[in-house]
Amino acid sequence: MAVKIIGTGSYVPENVADNQFLSTIVDTDDEWISQRTGIKERHLSSGSKEGTTFMAIQAAHAALEDAGISAEELDLIIVATASADTYVPSTACQVQGEIGAIRATCFDLNAACSGFLFSLNTVNAYLETGMAKTALVIGAETLSREVDWSDRSTCILFGDGAGAAVVKNVEGKGGIVASVSGSDGTQGDVLTCKGRGIQNPFYKSKRKKDYIQMNGQSVFRFAVTTVPKYIKQVLRRTGTEPDDVKFYVLHQANRRILELIAKRLKVDMDKIPMNLDRYGNTSSASIPILLDELNRNGLIEEGDKIVLSGFGGGLTWGATLIVW
Ligand code: ACO
């Protein structure tokens, strides 16, 4: 048996904020943003009706249609998000209710920008042990609500969107072949977004909800050292040469990070597809949105080797080799 991705889908809001538009909000310009990040524009939610749950549902419908299965066949839904609309119910339960996946067990998972990868690994564990047969994994974020729109060092980086994949235990070879992942809580401070302060009969916090704060250079160093190391590990473990991989579908944070990863893996940039110029950093949604674009454009064929790799707040990271 093999645990395979059998369908993908994605959704981004219609509203587009390009770099020129951002330069009317904060002291920045297209040249600075393009050179340092590669980002040209990002899609932003139009309001509370187009939040994380809504986007997750749209991506879910598209992935189910691509897979050619009905929602009733799902027995597991995991939504990776660090920007849910509600603490309770989970985004996954709301998706379940809306699409009619009556048999599914549903929960959210927060591993920041590594969330989709960690969710895929969790789905793989459920499917390999027979706890589920067919699963939906979604990465969905409304980061525009977590960003301080007066902070030019962060607001230029992020965008909203959702991506999804249907994963099934099928006859045959391939699918999810190997995964490595890790976390380092001692470095959590380099990228934070704090929640509400404590308010109870004993304590009244003065702290309001916080925004994303980041030490950009520390995150940069972490990404360009950790990601190639773990990708090499997953390749070694499976006896795969870097050039045997058709695409490295990496978390879309920054073009310079991806270029350095390519250099360290000694692979051409044409193996590292990018859409961050159009969407910015959509955190846990970035890998499944990119995967969906590659799939829909007919660029992935059965038997192709693909490495997915995410990195982000926590700190968290992971790399997974799949054979399509
Ligand atoms: N426009 C113009 N100037 C700016 C902007 C902006 N939007 N933002 C910062 N600056 C200024 C700073 O104020 C600073 O000015 P100063 O020298 O007068 O003090 C100068 O530009 C340099 O700032 P740095 O923060 O040192 O710039 P750096 O070259 O490190 O680039 C960046 C910042 C793009 C964030 C970079 O560190 C980076 O890419 N880090 C990776 C982090 C990342 O991608 N995070 C995404 C989220 S985490 C994740 O997804 C894993």
Side-chain angles (χ1 to χ4, degrees):
M1 298 296 283
V3 175
K4 286 204 167 188
I5 294 177
I6 60 161
T8 60
S10 60
Y11 176 87
V12 290
E14 256 181 46
N15 280 341
V16 175
D18 64 12
N19 293 344
Q20 158 63 24
F21 176 76
L22 291 197
S23 72
T24 65
I25 300 174
V26 287
D27 182 14
T28 189
D29 54 57
D30 175 54
E31 195 188 345
W32 194 98
I33 302 173
S34 301
Q35 281 182 2
R36 306 263 177 153
T37 71
I39 298 166
K40 287 282 184 191
E41 56 188 36
R42 64 291 288 147
H43 292 244
L44 303 179
S45 160
S46 58
S48 50
K49 286 202 179 121
E50 199 179 37
T52 301
T53 301
F54 177 85
M55 290 190 278
I57 290 164
Q58 308 315 310
H61 281 308
L64 287 171
E65 196 186 329
D66 186 42
I69 68 156
S70 70
E72 290 88 33
E73 289 177 58
L74 296 172
D75 27 45
L76 177 65
I77 301 176
I78 305 180
V79 177
T81 185
S83 54
D85 300 337
T86 51
Y87 291 147
V88 179
S90 67
T91 312
C93 283
Q94 293 176 70
V95 171
Q96 174 193 30
E98 186 62 31
I99 67 175
I102 44 172
R103 295 179 43 248
T105 299
C106 307
F107 58 91
D108 289 359
L109 188 154
N110 178 353
C113 305
S114 309
F116 180 80
L117 209 70
F118 282 26
S119 300
L120 190 64
N121 289 343
T122 308
V123 160
N124 188 33
Y126 266 74
L127 267 57
E128 277 196 328
T129 55
M131 285 173 72
K133 282 203 179 93
T134 310
L136 177 63
V137 51
I138 305 172
E141 305 281 5
T142 318
L143 294 170
S144 62
R145 78 163 132 236
E146 312 288 0
V147 158
D148 177 355
W149 286 97
S150 65
D151 175 8
R152 67 177 181 173
S153 69
T154 52
C155 76
I156 53 130
L157 298 172
F158 299 100
D160 299 334
V166 177
V167 186
K168 193 172 166 68
N169 215 346
V170 294
E171 296 280 344
K173 284 188 180 164
I176 298 173
V177 177
S179 298
V180 291
S181 62
S183 309
D184 179 3
T186 66
Q187 288 196 69
D189 280 353
V190 305
L191 179 55
T192 61
C193 184
K194 293 178 181 152
R196 272 203 307 247
I198 290 172
Q199 301 282 348
N200 70 23
F202 301 104
Y203 187 78
K204 296 269 179 280
S205 170
K206 290 195 181 67
R207 180 157 61 80
K208 296 218 172 68
K209 188 181 179 300
D210 204 357
Y211 295 104
I212 291 177
Q213 294 190 29
M214 182 183 66
N215 179 332
Q217 288 179 7
S218 299
V219 174
F220 195 99
R221 275 194 300 275
F222 149 69
V224 299
T225 50
T226 309
V227 174
K229 186 169 141 197
Y230 280 81
I231 289 178
K232 283 180 189 166
Q233 213 177 85
V234 91
L235 294 180
R236 256 199 318 274
R237 198 175 281 185
T238 53
T240 309
E241 291 298 323
D243 269 333
D244 293 344
V245 173
K246 183 159 185 190
F247 290 124
Y248 293 84
V249 178
L250 308 180
H251 169 49
Q252 301 287 295
N254 181 310
R255 191 188 58 217
R256 288 188 303 153
I257 292 179
L258 301 190
E259 285 169 351
L260 268 169
I261 292 172
K263 204 170 159 193
R264 290 183 181 181
L265 290 173
K266 299 192 177 72
V267 296
D268 289 342
M269 274 309 283
D270 59 11
K271 286 192 177 292
I272 308 215
M274 258 190 279
N275 61 11
L276 60 87
D277 54 329
R278 285 172 288 132
Y279 302 130
N281 178 348
T282 56
S283 191
S284 68
S286 82
I287 291 175
I289 291 175
L290 182 56
L291 196 60
D292 183 45
E293 282 192 354
L294 295 170
N295 185 25
R296 272 167 208 275
N297 290 333
L299 296 171
I300 316 179
E301 288 166 9
E302 197 175 342
D304 282 345
K305 290 181 177 161
I306 295 169
V307 167
L308 311 179
S309 181
F311 53 93
L315 295 173
T316 54
W317 60 87
T320 295
L321 174 69
I322 59 178
V323 179
W324 197 257

